[in-house]
PDB file of all heavy atoms in Angstrom:
ATOM      1  N   ASP A 154     -39.681 -70.301 -94.882  1.00 95.00           N
ATOM      2  CA  ASP A 154     -41.137 -70.335 -94.725  1.00 95.00           C
ATOM      3  C   ASP A 154     -41.564 -71.169 -93.521  1.00 95.00           C
ATOM      4  O   ASP A 154     -40.890 -72.131 -93.138  1.00 95.00           O
ATOM      5  CB  ASP A 154     -41.804 -70.898 -95.992  1.00 95.00           C
ATOM      6  CG  ASP A 154     -41.571 -70.007 -97.202  1.00 95.00           C
ATOM      7  OD1 ASP A 154     -41.763 -68.781 -97.073  1.00 95.00           O
ATOM      8  OD2 ASP A 154     -41.190 -70.529 -98.270  1.00 95.00           O
ATOM      9  N   TYR A 155     -42.724 -70.782 -92.953  1.00 95.00           N
ATOM     10  CA  TYR A 155     -43.324 -71.515 -91.836  1.00 95.00           C
ATOM     11  C   TYR A 155     -44.394 -72.469 -92.363  1.00 95.00           C
ATOM     12  O   TYR A 155     -45.175 -72.118 -93.257  1.00 95.00           O
ATOM     13  CB  TYR A 155     -43.969 -70.547 -90.839  1.00 95.00           C
ATOM     14  CG  TYR A 155     -43.020 -69.969 -89.809  1.00 95.00           C
ATOM     15  CD1 TYR A 155     -41.643 -70.047 -89.965  1.00 95.00           C
ATOM     16  CD2 TYR A 155     -43.511 -69.330 -88.677  1.00 95.00           C
ATOM     17  CE1 TYR A 155     -40.779 -69.519 -89.019  1.00 95.00           C
ATOM     18  CE2 TYR A 155     -42.655 -68.791 -87.722  1.00 95.00           C
ATOM     19  CZ  TYR A 155     -41.289 -68.888 -87.906  1.00 95.00           C
ATOM     20  OH  TYR A 155     -40.438 -68.357 -86.966  1.00 95.00           O
ATOM     21  N   TYR A 156     -44.441 -73.654 -91.747  1.00 96.00           N
ATOM     22  CA  TYR A 156     -45.469 -74.657 -92.049  1.00 96.00           C
ATOM     23  C   TYR A 156     -46.067 -75.074 -90.710  1.00 96.00           C
ATOM     24  O   TYR A 156     -45.349 -75.583 -89.843  1.00 96.00           O
ATOM     25  CB  TYR A 156     -44.854 -75.849 -92.795  1.00 96.00           C
ATOM     26  CG  TYR A 156     -44.268 -75.465 -94.142  1.00 96.00           C
ATOM     27  CD1 TYR A 156     -42.974 -74.943 -94.232  1.00 96.00           C
ATOM     28  CD2 TYR A 156     -45.007 -75.600 -95.314  1.00 96.00           C
ATOM     29  CE1 TYR A 156     -42.441 -74.568 -95.452  1.00 96.00           C
ATOM     30  CE2 TYR A 156     -44.475 -75.234 -96.550  1.00 96.00           C
ATOM     31  CZ  TYR A 156     -43.192 -74.708 -96.611  1.00 96.00           C
ATOM     32  OH  TYR A 156     -42.673 -74.324 -97.819  1.00 96.00           O
ATOM     33  N   GLU A 157     -47.365 -74.855 -90.552  1.00 96.00           N
ATOM     34  CA  GLU A 157     -48.011 -74.975 -89.240  1.00 96.00           C
ATOM     35  C   GLU A 157     -49.128 -76.016 -89.263  1.00 96.00           C
ATOM     36  O   GLU A 157     -49.544 -76.486 -90.322  1.00 96.00           O
ATOM     37  CB  GLU A 157     -48.563 -73.599 -88.827  1.00 96.00           C
ATOM     38  CG  GLU A 157     -47.501 -72.510 -88.840  1.00 96.00           C
ATOM     39  CD  GLU A 157     -48.097 -71.114 -88.960  1.00 96.00           C
ATOM     40  OE1 GLU A 157     -49.330 -70.997 -89.063  1.00 96.00           O
ATOM     41  OE2 GLU A 157     -47.319 -70.140 -88.972  1.00 96.00           O
ATOM     42  N   ASP A 158     -49.629 -76.339 -88.046  1.00 95.00           N
ATOM     43  CA  ASP A 158     -50.691 -77.343 -87.885  1.00 95.00           C
ATOM     44  C   ASP A 158     -50.293 -78.655 -88.559  1.00 95.00           C
ATOM     45  O   ASP A 158     -51.062 -79.269 -89.310  1.00 95.00           O
ATOM     46  CB  ASP A 158     -52.018 -76.837 -88.469  1.00 95.00           C
ATOM     47  CG  ASP A 158     -52.572 -75.643 -87.711  1.00 95.00           C
ATOM     48  OD1 ASP A 158     -52.577 -75.685 -86.466  1.00 95.00           O
ATOM     49  OD2 ASP A 158     -52.983 -74.658 -88.350  1.00 95.00           O
ATOM     50  N   LEU A 159     -49.079 -79.079 -88.259  1.00 96.00           N
ATOM     51  CA  LEU A 159     -48.567 -80.302 -88.877  1.00 96.00           C
ATOM     52  C   LEU A 159     -49.069 -81.544 -88.148  1.00 96.00           C
ATOM     53  O   LEU A 159     -49.225 -81.550 -86.929  1.00 96.00           O
ATOM     54  CB  LEU A 159     -47.039 -80.281 -88.874  1.00 96.00           C
ATOM     55  CG  LEU A 159     -46.377 -79.157 -89.683  1.00 96.00           C
ATOM     56  CD1 LEU A 159     -44.873 -79.145 -89.445  1.00 96.00           C
ATOM     57  CD2 LEU A 159     -46.688 -79.292 -91.166  1.00 96.00           C
ATOM     58  N   THR A 160     -49.283 -82.572 -88.909  1.00 96.00           N
ATOM     59  CA  THR A 160     -49.569 -83.904 -88.381  1.00 96.00           C
ATOM     60  C   THR A 160     -48.577 -84.861 -89.045  1.00 96.00           C
ATOM     61  O   THR A 160     -47.964 -84.508 -90.069  1.00 96.00           O
ATOM     62  CB  THR A 160     -51.005 -84.350 -88.719  1.00 96.00           C
ATOM     63  OG1 THR A 160     -51.129 -84.470 -90.154  1.00 96.00           O
ATOM     64  CG2 THR A 160     -52.038 -83.332 -88.208  1.00 96.00           C
ATOM     65  N   PRO A 161     -48.378 -86.043 -88.495  1.00 96.00           N
ATOM     66  CA  PRO A 161     -47.452 -86.972 -89.153  1.00 96.00           C
ATOM     67  C   PRO A 161     -47.815 -87.210 -90.620  1.00 96.00           C
ATOM     68  O   PRO A 161     -46.915 -87.326 -91.473  1.00 96.00           O
ATOM     69  CB  PRO A 161     -47.591 -88.247 -88.314  1.00 96.00           C
ATOM     70  CG  PRO A 161     -47.965 -87.753 -86.957  1.00 96.00           C
ATOM     71  CD  PRO A 161     -48.857 -86.556 -87.200  1.00 96.00           C
ATOM     72  N   GLU A 162     -49.109 -87.254 -90.918  1.00 96.00           N
ATOM     73  CA  GLU A 162     -49.535 -87.544 -92.286  1.00 96.00           C
ATOM     74  C   GLU A 162     -49.227 -86.371 -93.232  1.00 96.00           C
ATOM     75  O   GLU A 162     -48.596 -86.559 -94.281  1.00 96.00           O
ATOM     76  CB  GLU A 162     -51.028 -87.866 -92.322  1.00 96.00           C
ATOM     77  CG  GLU A 162     -51.420 -89.155 -91.606  1.00 96.00           C
ATOM     78  CD  GLU A 162     -51.364 -89.023 -90.083  1.00 96.00           C
ATOM     79  OE1 GLU A 162     -51.487 -87.880 -89.593  1.00 96.00           O
ATOM     80  OE2 GLU A 162     -51.202 -90.060 -89.408  1.00 96.00           O
ATOM     81  N   ASN A 163     -49.705 -85.144 -92.865  1.00 96.00           N
ATOM     82  CA  ASN A 163     -49.476 -84.040 -93.807  1.00 96.00           C
ATOM     83  C   ASN A 163     -48.010 -83.601 -93.825  1.00 96.00           C
ATOM     84  O   ASN A 163     -47.519 -83.063 -94.820  1.00 96.00           O
ATOM     85  CB  ASN A 163     -50.419 -82.864 -93.522  1.00 96.00           C
ATOM     86  CG  ASN A 163     -50.204 -82.208 -92.170  1.00 96.00           C
ATOM     87  OD1 ASN A 163     -49.106 -82.180 -91.628  1.00 96.00           O
ATOM     88  ND2 ASN A 163     -51.277 -81.663 -91.612  1.00 96.00           N
ATOM     89  N   PHE A 164     -47.268 -83.848 -92.743  1.00 96.00           N
ATOM     90  CA  PHE A 164     -45.857 -83.492 -92.717  1.00 96.00           C
ATOM     91  C   PHE A 164     -45.068 -84.414 -93.648  1.00 96.00           C
ATOM     92  O   PHE A 164     -44.184 -83.959 -94.396  1.00 96.00           O
ATOM     93  CB  PHE A 164     -45.330 -83.580 -91.296  1.00 96.00           C
ATOM     94  CG  PHE A 164     -43.912 -83.090 -91.129  1.00 96.00           C
ATOM     95  CD1 PHE A 164     -43.456 -81.946 -91.768  1.00 96.00           C
ATOM     96  CD2 PHE A 164     -43.015 -83.782 -90.317  1.00 96.00           C
ATOM     97  CE1 PHE A 164     -42.156 -81.501 -91.599  1.00 96.00           C
ATOM     98  CE2 PHE A 164     -41.717 -83.339 -90.149  1.00 96.00           C
ATOM     99  CZ  PHE A 164     -41.282 -82.194 -90.794  1.00 96.00           C
ATOM    100  N   LYS A 165     -45.385 -85.686 -93.619  1.00 96.00           N
ATOM    101  CA  LYS A 165     -44.699 -86.629 -94.509  1.00 96.00           C
ATOM    102  C   LYS A 165     -44.988 -86.298 -95.971  1.00 96.00           C
ATOM    103  O   LYS A 165     -44.082 -86.307 -96.820  1.00 96.00           O
ATOM    104  CB  LYS A 165     -45.134 -88.058 -94.195  1.00 96.00           C
ATOM    105  CG  LYS A 165     -44.389 -89.122 -94.990  1.00 96.00           C
ATOM    106  CD  LYS A 165     -44.765 -90.522 -94.536  1.00 96.00           C
ATOM    107  CE  LYS A 165     -43.980 -91.569 -95.305  1.00 96.00           C
ATOM    108  NZ  LYS A 165     -44.308 -92.945 -94.854  1.00 96.00           N
ATOM    109  N   ALA A 166     -46.243 -85.949 -96.254  1.00 96.00           N
ATOM    110  CA  ALA A 166     -46.604 -85.578 -97.627  1.00 96.00           C
ATOM    111  C   ALA A 166     -45.890 -84.299 -98.043  1.00 96.00           C
ATOM    112  O   ALA A 166     -45.442 -84.157 -99.198  1.00 96.00           O
ATOM    113  CB  ALA A 166     -48.118 -85.406 -97.732  1.00 96.00           C
ATOM    114  N   LEU A 167     -45.754 -83.350 -97.116  1.00 96.00           N
ATOM    115  CA  LEU A 167     -45.058 -82.091 -97.399  1.00 96.00           C
ATOM    116  C   LEU A 167     -43.601 -82.352 -97.762  1.00 96.00           C
ATOM    117  O   LEU A 167     -43.078 -81.785 -98.740  1.00 96.00           O
ATOM    118  CB  LEU A 167     -45.152 -81.172 -96.181  1.00 96.00           C
ATOM    119  CG  LEU A 167     -44.326 -79.883 -96.218  1.00 96.00           C
ATOM    120  CD1 LEU A 167     -44.816 -78.955 -97.319  1.00 96.00           C
ATOM    121  CD2 LEU A 167     -44.401 -79.177 -94.860  1.00 96.00           C
ATOM    122  N   LEU A 168     -42.933 -83.189 -96.993  1.00 96.00           N
ATOM    123  CA  LEU A 168     -41.523 -83.489 -97.268  1.00 96.00           C
ATOM    124  C   LEU A 168     -41.356 -84.168 -98.627  1.00 96.00           C
ATOM    125  O   LEU A 168     -40.393 -83.876 -99.364  1.00 96.00           O
ATOM    126  CB  LEU A 168     -40.950 -84.365 -96.161  1.00 96.00           C
ATOM    127  CG  LEU A 168     -40.866 -83.736 -94.765  1.00 96.00           C
ATOM    128  CD1 LEU A 168     -40.297 -84.734 -93.756  1.00 96.00           C
ATOM    129  CD2 LEU A 168     -40.018 -82.464 -94.789  1.00 96.00           C
ATOM    130  N   GLU A 169     -42.271 -85.045 -98.972  1.00 95.00           N
ATOM    131  CA  GLU A 169     -42.188 -85.727-100.262  1.00 95.00           C
ATOM    132  C   GLU A 169     -42.415 -84.748-101.412  1.00 95.00           C
ATOM    133  O   GLU A 169     -41.740 -84.829-102.451  1.00 95.00           O
ATOM    134  CB  GLU A 169     -43.211 -86.867-100.326  1.00 95.00           C
ATOM    135  CG  GLU A 169     -42.875 -88.042 -99.422  1.00 95.00           C
ATOM    136  CD  GLU A 169     -41.539 -88.688 -99.793  1.00 95.00           C
ATOM    137  OE1 GLU A 169     -41.176 -88.695-100.996  1.00 95.00           O
ATOM    138  OE2 GLU A 169     -40.838 -89.172 -98.886  1.00 95.00           O
ATOM    139  N   ASP A 170     -43.335 -83.795-101.224  1.00 96.00           N
ATOM    140  CA  ASP A 170     -43.567 -82.788-102.270  1.00 96.00           C
ATOM    141  C   ASP A 170     -42.326 -81.919-102.457  1.00 96.00           C
ATOM    142  O   ASP A 170     -41.949 -81.588-103.592  1.00 96.00           O
ATOM    143  CB  ASP A 170     -44.767 -81.909-101.900  1.00 96.00           C
ATOM    144  CG  ASP A 170     -46.088 -82.651-102.032  1.00 96.00           C
ATOM    145  OD1 ASP A 170     -46.123 -83.672-102.746  1.00 96.00           O
ATOM    146  OD2 ASP A 170     -47.076 -82.209-101.412  1.00 96.00           O
ATOM    147  N   LEU A 171     -41.687 -81.527-101.358  1.00 96.00           N
ATOM    148  CA  LEU A 171     -40.472 -80.726-101.464  1.00 96.00           C
ATOM    149  C   LEU A 171     -39.363 -81.507-102.147  1.00 96.00           C
ATOM    150  O   LEU A 171     -38.620 -80.973-102.985  1.00 96.00           O
ATOM    151  CB  LEU A 171     -40.019 -80.281-100.067  1.00 96.00           C
ATOM    152  CG  LEU A 171     -40.906 -79.251 -99.360  1.00 96.00           C
ATOM    153  CD1 LEU A 171     -40.450 -79.060 -97.913  1.00 96.00           C
ATOM    154  CD2 LEU A 171     -40.882 -77.907-100.087  1.00 96.00           C
ATOM    155  N   ARG A 172     -39.246 -82.755-101.820  1.00 95.00           N
ATOM    156  CA  ARG A 172     -38.183 -83.582-102.391  1.00 95.00           C
ATOM    157  C   ARG A 172     -38.335 -83.713-103.900  1.00 95.00           C
ATOM    158  O   ARG A 172     -37.341 -83.713-104.645  1.00 95.00           O
ATOM    159  CB  ARG A 172     -38.216 -84.959-101.728  1.00 95.00           C
ATOM    160  CG  ARG A 172     -37.383 -86.022-102.430  1.00 95.00           C
ATOM    161  CD  ARG A 172     -37.322 -87.269-101.598  1.00 95.00           C
ATOM    162  NE  ARG A 172     -36.232 -87.195-100.624  1.00 95.00           N
ATOM    163  CZ  ARG A 172     -36.156 -87.937 -99.510  1.00 95.00           C
ATOM    164  NH1 ARG A 172     -37.149 -88.768 -99.208  1.00 95.00           N
ATOM    165  NH2 ARG A 172     -35.124 -87.834 -98.715  1.00 95.00           N
ATOM    166  N   HIS A 173     -39.572 -83.772-104.366  1.00 95.00           N
ATOM    167  CA  HIS A 173     -39.808 -83.982-105.795  1.00 95.00           C
ATOM    168  C   HIS A 173     -40.134 -82.688-106.533  1.00 95.00           C
ATOM    169  O   HIS A 173     -40.529 -82.724-107.703  1.00 95.00           O
ATOM    170  CB  HIS A 173     -40.944 -84.994-105.994  1.00 95.00           C
ATOM    171  CG  HIS A 173     -40.595 -86.373-105.532  1.00 95.00           C
ATOM    172  ND1 HIS A 173     -40.871 -86.839-104.258  1.00 95.00           N
ATOM    173  CD2 HIS A 173     -39.948 -87.398-106.170  1.00 95.00           C
ATOM    174  CE1 HIS A 173     -40.444 -88.075-104.129  1.00 95.00           C
ATOM    175  NE2 HIS A 173     -39.874 -88.449-105.282  1.00 95.00           N
ATOM    176  N   GLY A 174     -39.963 -81.544-105.861  1.00 94.00           N
ATOM    177  CA  GLY A 174     -40.145 -80.275-106.537  1.00 94.00           C
ATOM    178  C   GLY A 174     -41.572 -79.907-106.835  1.00 94.00           C
ATOM    179  O   GLY A 174     -41.823 -79.048-107.701  1.00 94.00           O
ATOM    180  N   ARG A 175     -42.506 -80.521-106.126  1.00 95.00           N
ATOM    181  CA  ARG A 175     -43.908 -80.180-106.347  1.00 95.00           C
ATOM    182  C   ARG A 175     -44.286 -78.938-105.542  1.00 95.00           C
ATOM    183  O   ARG A 175     -43.684 -78.665-104.486  1.00 95.00           O
ATOM    184  CB  ARG A 175     -44.808 -81.361-105.970  1.00 95.00           C
ATOM    185  CG  ARG A 175     -44.636 -82.567-106.873  1.00 95.00           C
ATOM    186  CD  ARG A 175     -45.710 -83.602-106.607  1.00 95.00           C
ATOM    187  NE  ARG A 175     -45.504 -84.316-105.370  1.00 95.00           N
ATOM    188  CZ  ARG A 175     -44.922 -85.509-105.274  1.00 95.00           C
ATOM    189  NH1 ARG A 175     -44.445 -86.114-106.364  1.00 95.00           N
ATOM    190  NH2 ARG A 175     -44.790 -86.114-104.105  1.00 95.00           N
ATOM    191  N   PRO A 176     -45.278 -78.169-105.995  1.00 95.00           N
ATOM    192  CA  PRO A 176     -45.676 -76.959-105.253  1.00 95.00           C
ATOM    193  C   PRO A 176     -46.265 -77.324-103.890  1.00 95.00           C
ATOM    194  O   PRO A 176     -46.944 -78.364-103.742  1.00 95.00           O
ATOM    195  CB  PRO A 176     -46.734 -76.309-106.162  1.00 95.00           C
ATOM    196  CG  PRO A 176     -47.245 -77.429-107.027  1.00 95.00           C
ATOM    197  CD  PRO A 176     -46.090 -78.352-107.222  1.00 95.00           C
ATOM    198  N   VAL A 177     -45.987 -76.487-102.910  1.00 95.00           N
ATOM    199  CA  VAL A 177     -46.485 -76.728-101.550  1.00 95.00           C
ATOM    200  C   VAL A 177     -47.164 -75.459-101.034  1.00 95.00           C
ATOM    201  O   VAL A 177     -46.949 -74.355-101.544  1.00 95.00           O
ATOM    202  CB  VAL A 177     -45.334 -77.125-100.591  1.00 95.00           C
ATOM    203  CG1 VAL A 177     -44.715 -78.441-101.006  1.00 95.00           C
ATOM    204  CG2 VAL A 177     -44.268 -76.028-100.548  1.00 95.00           C
TER     205      VAL A 177
END
Side-chain angles (χ1 to χ4, degrees):
D154 296 313
Y155 275 15
Y156 297 84
E157 305 158 358
D158 294 314
L159 297 173
T160 64
E162 294 74 25
N163 64 30
F164 186 42
K165 185 174 182 179
L167 172 65
L168 295 179
E169 290 299 328
D170 288 340
L171 291 172
R172 167 172 274 160
H173 293 93
R175 294 190 286 263
V177 296

